[in-house]
Amino acid sequence: MVSLLLIEKIGRKKTMALEFFLFTITLCLLFNCSTQKSVVTAILFLARALGSGLFQVAYVYTPEVYPTVLRSVGVGSCSGVARFGAMLTPYIAQVLMRQS
């Protein structure tokens, strides 16, 4: 919701750039954070929110940039890879990981 409000105020490109910048900062904080679970949880929550906001902005921004044929091929390819990843994840999590 915040992303959509930012799009209306500052525009699509600036919103995407701002969210990428803030997402990068949260990832840097995550790599350098303490071992307190509450701090890690708060940073992960913020990173997840910014990631979701980036997808919202990308879905609004890409129709303006790419033609329909290219967009449909891209969305179809990404959907196929995502489904393959969803099938592969349980195998990796339970079979290949030593600790699960």
Side-chain angles (χ1 to χ4, degrees):
M1 190 69 166
V2 174
S3 295
L4 298 176
L5 294 173
L6 280 174
I7 287 173
E8 295 298 323
K9 290 284 185 183
I10 63 174
R12 290 163 177 81
K13 288 182 183 179
K14 290 180 182 177
T15 301
M16 189 172 268
L18 177 67
E19 288 186 354
F20 267 123
F21 179 71
L22 292 174
F23 185 71
T24 303
I25 289 173
T26 57
L27 289 181
C28 290
L29 288 174
L30 186 63
F31 287 121
N32 296 323
C33 71
S34 64
T35 57
Q36 292 178 345
K37 287 187 178 184
S38 60
V39 174
V40 173
T41 303
I43 293 172
L44 285 173
F45 181 77
L46 183 60
R48 175 70 183 212
L50 287 167
S52 296
L54 281 167
F55 278 112
Q56 290 175 357
V57 175
Y59 268 80
V60 171
Y61 182 62
T62 53
E64 298 174 352
V65 180
Y66 299 108
T68 303
V69 174
L70 189 60
R71 259 193 343 259
S72 62
V73 170
V75 169
S77 301
C78 288
S79 176
V81 171
R83 289 173 191 266
F84 181 71
M87 289 186 291
L88 197 61
T89 300
Y91 176 74
I92 291 172
Q94 293 183 359
V95 177
L96 295 180
M97 300 286 289
R98 292 186 189 267
Q99 298 174 356
S100 63

